[in-house]
Amino acid sequence: MSGEFPDPLRMRDGSPIATAAEWRERRRPELLELFQRHMYGFFPPAPVTGAPNVVRSESFLGGRAMRKDVRVPLGPPGAPTLNLMVLTPRGRRSPLFLGINFGGNEVEVLAPEGVRKNTWSVERTLARGYAVASFHAADVDPDRDDFTDGVHPWHRPAGSGAERGPTEWGTLAAWAWGLSRALDYLEHDPDVDARRIAVVGHSRMGKAALLAAAFDERAALAIPSQSGCGGAAPSRTTVGETVALINKNFPHWFCTAFRAYNDTPERLPFDQHELLALIAPRPVLLCNAVEDEWANPAGQFEMLRAAAPVWRLLGKEGLRADRMPPSGKLLDGDLGYFIRPGAHAMSPVEWAAYLDFADRHR
């Protein structure tokens, strides 16, 4: 099935990529440009802003951990601010999971009860020696088809008109860019081992985590969970969510140029295995659920298979199996895969797999 997808080791002009140097110097830059031009839109540079401000630093979990709340400016005065919560085990410099939450730091990540409780498995993660950092998606850009709010008005290309241009960035790119702004702060936090930061996310935030890791090499490990179309699932598919459906239902997530491929995704000059390949040689873990056919779990595994030659070119093992593992069994290695019983959610079951995978790559 992997033969149905573009060869990640072949340039657009047809010339092959045969060495690691050619990948780094020729193919990787080409793919970065193609994904921005045809799908996500072009990222702006990091903003020139004031320094992040730690507004809270206090004991957490009865003294077993520390909590810091950090305000990270996302532009000049008046621009949105990232409200980054950083939870670290006390007394150690720790590897960290960084991700975007849907409902807010207090409401979701620290939820004491209700359906969101343990979505982020904070206590277990801290006990395993990992820190957790998160921010609310709306800090960067609210999840709606409106480009007058969030960070977009503050970072428009020079000479832009009233309407968004065909290659101007969408909301997924903005969220991924926000993860990079969090990394700007975290790489200087004395309680964080900045060489071992994993970006993690569920569903649409899994798409953003994957995109951030592809474009920002400071992310040491990527764990997109049930990320589906626009994430780790193929665009060339009839299973689950399709390019036409995602552009209809969430037109703001992508650049408008992506809509040209609604009915002919096979014309795209790439597929999502090549977004995965942009993370190579760093480890990637894809997580899925048996009942979540909308996210195309089998298609995501095919994307790992199609991306694996890039890891091998760069001297890594790549994918350790030709078939999806049984439900509940973690396939580790440079390219990991985990699928569990159940439906679309992030739960302690996923987090157990995240932690085990991260342990293997510490």
Side-chain angles (χ1 to χ4, degrees):
M1 191 172 173
S2 59
E4 300 174 8
F5 304 111
D7 183 350
L9 295 177
R10 191 165 294 277
M11 297 288 291
R12 285 285 287 158
D13 65 8
S15 59
I17 297 298
T19 68
E22 288 178 340
W23 169 262
R24 288 191 300 268
E25 296 166 12
R26 298 179 61 211
R27 183 58 169 155
R28 191 173 191 279
E30 180 178 64
L31 284 171
L32 290 171
E33 197 274 341
L34 288 171
F35 272 104
Q36 290 178 99
R37 182 168 301 281
H38 296 278
M39 190 170 187
Y40 299 107
F42 283 92
F43 289 77
V48 178
T49 65
N53 180 27
V54 178
V55 297
R56 180 199 305 216
S57 181
E58 63 185 21
S59 182
F60 182 66
L61 291 180
R64 301 193 304 275
M66 289 293 296
R67 171 180 177 172
K68 279 181 277 196
D69 289 348
V70 186
R71 303 291 183 262
V72 181
L74 298 177
T81 298
L82 201 68
N83 299 295
L84 182 68
M85 180 176 67
V86 184
L87 308 173
T88 54
R90 185 182 285 276
R92 67 179 77 177
R93 192 163 176 258
S94 304
L96 177 141
F97 288 95
L98 167 65
I100 308 173
N101 64 73
F102 294 89
N105 298 340
E106 301 285 346
V107 172
E108 181 174 328
V109 182
L110 300 182
E113 57 187 17
V115 295
R116 296 180 186 269
K117 184 178 181 181
N118 291 327
T119 294
W120 283 75
S121 289
V122 166
E123 291 195 39
R124 174 193 284 182
T125 303
L126 291 166
R128 289 274 291 266
Y130 291 89
V132 176
S134 188
F135 60 88
H136 187 200
D139 287 354
V140 179
D141 191 38
D143 189 9
R144 54 178 176 253
D145 190 13
D146 181 356
F147 289 89
T148 65
D149 56 10
V151 296
H152 288 96
W154 299 90
H155 299 283
R156 298 204 68 198
S160 296
E163 298 296 322
R164 188 165 59 119
T167 62
E168 286 190 51
W169 60 331
T171 295
L172 283 175
W175 288 335
W177 183 84
L179 286 165
S180 287
R181 306 291 69 79
L183 286 168
D184 292 343
Y185 165 76
L186 290 167
E187 65 180 347
H188 300 293
D189 189 312
D191 299 317
V192 173
D193 184 347
R195 300 166 302 169
R196 296 188 292 164
I197 295 179
V199 289
V200 61
H202 171 67
S203 192
R204 63 198 66 184
M205 302 312 164
K207 303 180 205 296
L210 176 57
L211 185 57
F215 277 74
D216 195 327
E217 294 181 281
R218 293 175 297 178
L221 192 155
I223 307 179
S225 179
Q226 295 172 259
S227 60
C229 183
S235 294
R236 289 162 170 80
T237 188
T238 57
V239 177
E241 192 169 28
T242 63
V243 171
L245 284 171
I246 204 169
N247 272 325
K248 176 183 177 182
N249 294 326
F250 305 102
H252 54 294
W253 284 0
F254 305 93
C255 69
T256 61
F258 189 42
R259 300 171 194 175
Y261 304 98
N262 280 353
D263 300 319
T264 54
E266 67 277 3
R267 292 194 305 108
L268 279 164
F270 50 74
D271 215 316
Q272 297 307 98
H273 64 299
E274 290 167 304
L275 188 67
L276 290 170
L278 287 169
I279 302 173
R282 295 164 287 155
V284 178
L285 171 64
L286 304 186
C287 290
N288 282 285
V290 172
E291 297 174 23
D292 187 15
E293 282 298 315
W294 194 245
N296 194 357
Q300 290 189 44
F301 189 80
E302 287 303 315
M303 292 291 90
L304 289 180
R305 290 184 60 198
V310 179
W311 270 262
R312 293 195 294 268
L313 178 71
L314 299 181
K316 295 293 185 177
E317 180 183 25
L319 190 62
R320 290 181 174 174
D322 290 329
R323 297 182 179 180
M324 289 170 56
S327 179
K329 180 177 175 58
L330 174 64
L331 175 64
D332 57 12
D334 305 310
L335 294 172
Y337 191 90
F338 178 78
I339 189 166
R340 58 154 175 83
H344 192 70
M346 187 165 73
S347 72
V349 177
E350 273 84 12
W351 274 97
Y354 301 168
L355 290 163
D356 288 346
F357 188 78
D359 280 350
R360 286 160 169 74
H361 297 281
R362 287 182 74 154

